[in-house]
Amino acid sequence: ASTPLTFLIIFYYIFSWYRRKKTYDISLYKRGDLLEVSRTLFKHFGIYLGEGRVAHFIPDILPVFTKEKSITEQMVTNERLILGVLAKAASVRVDSLVDFAYGDCIQVNKIDSMVSVQPLNGEEVARRSEKLIGSFSYSLLWHNCEHYVMYCRYGVAFSFQTFQVRKLKRWRPNNSNYEYDSLVHFEFLICVVNVSKLRFIYLYAKKKSKYSENCL
């Protein structure tokens, strides 16, 4: 007899197939464009490099365990992304439009209307994004994909999304003995991950490098 779990498994494989089959018209994007898609509870951002390639800063747990490129260069799933957030392990990497979008529709340069700073020219934006390719530590509030693209396109590292989240800090209990950033990470996991899928969580020590002052 069929069970709800069976239907969920079938849906998962159909959706996975759909993500890989969806195509995007590369004529709609110019080198240096800021691209935006939905991932988990938040928006995810990247910089278009041309020829169907996108540079983006994304958390990923797999490089903590293996350096095998044939594995780590595959599409970053939401499970890998969430565990990467918890481990604070991430990298600026170049992926195809399909892998970057993860089946979602792509919005282009939407942030241009939200900032008073004029964007840099497309070639400079792309050059900045390519210069930062590599592994860095990650913080959901202070060092995420939006900070990365904002620096590349506007020269200022800022995140509209986490600015709104940080406003919740005023409700932090007095004399608390936990890190606010860690609390957000935990709540983020509970909201978007089916805990039954997680066999284990390996908490990896934060990497020392950041793309902030050293790279600007």
Side-chain angles (χ1 to χ4, degrees):
S2 297
T3 65
L5 179 60
T6 303
F7 286 114
L8 285 175
I9 293 173
I10 293 173
F11 174 80
Y12 173 80
Y13 281 106
I14 291 175
F15 184 63
S16 298
W17 175 85
Y18 169 77
R19 281 201 305 258
R20 288 166 172 77
K21 290 297 182 180
K22 188 167 183 177
T23 59
Y24 299 88
D25 183 0
I26 64 174
S27 67
L28 299 176
Y29 316 112
K30 301 187 299 296
R31 183 168 166 83
D33 277 348
L34 192 160
L35 307 185
E36 176 182 335
V37 296
S38 293
R39 291 291 299 261
T40 61
L41 291 180
F42 294 90
K43 295 291 186 179
H44 183 58
F45 301 90
I47 299 296
Y48 187 65
L49 301 179
E51 300 179 342
R53 299 174 302 125
V54 182
H56 58 136
F57 182 48
I58 187 166
D60 186 9
I61 193 66
L62 269 187
V64 172
F65 299 103
T66 179
K67 302 301 180 184
E68 182 59 50
K69 289 187 176 182
S70 63
I71 298 175
T72 59
E73 289 181 353
Q74 294 179 18
M75 178 190 292
V76 178
T77 64
N78 281 342
E79 289 80 8
R80 284 170 57 181
L81 185 154
I82 297 300
L83 291 176
V85 169
L86 291 174
K88 299 189 177 182
S91 66
V92 175
R93 54 184 278 167
V94 177
D95 282 313
S96 68
L97 276 169
V98 172
D99 286 357
F100 165 77
Y102 203 64
D104 194 47
C105 296
I106 298 175
Q107 298 184 19
V108 185
N109 296 333
K110 183 179 177 182
I111 294 181
D112 283 2
S113 62
M114 301 169 61
V115 298
S116 58
V117 180
Q118 287 295 314
L120 301 169
N121 69 74
E123 187 56 41
E124 174 62 14
V125 175
R127 185 195 67 78
R128 285 179 171 223
S129 66
E130 291 170 325
K131 180 181 177 182
L132 298 173
I133 291 173
S135 298
F136 303 100
S137 61
Y138 182 88
S139 169
L140 183 64
L141 293 181
W142 310 108
H143 193 238
N144 62 40
C145 63
E146 193 172 5
H147 292 100
Y148 165 69
V149 297
M150 290 290 287
Y151 164 71
C152 293
R153 188 164 174 84
Y154 308 104
V156 179
F158 183 79
S159 171
F160 287 103
Q161 294 184 109
T162 57
F163 175 76
Q164 296 300 319
V165 173
R166 290 200 301 270
K167 289 167 114 179
L168 298 175
K169 195 170 183 178
R170 61 176 175 238
W171 287 294
R172 180 178 178 180
N174 293 329
N175 302 320
S176 59
N177 59 1
Y178 56 79
E179 291 287 340
Y180 178 72
D181 199 37
S182 298
L183 173 64
V184 173
H185 286 174
F186 178 74
E187 292 175 340
F188 183 56
L189 173 69
I190 295 300
C191 288
V192 298
V193 176
N194 181 348
V195 179
S196 64
K197 291 181 180 179
L198 303 180
R199 301 301 180 186
F200 62 91
I201 299 175
Y202 182 87
L203 295 178
Y204 184 69
K206 287 193 304 182
K207 296 184 179 180
K208 295 180 180 180
S209 59
K210 280 191 176 182
Y211 70 71
S212 52
E213 290 84 1
N214 292 336
C215 299
L216 304 187

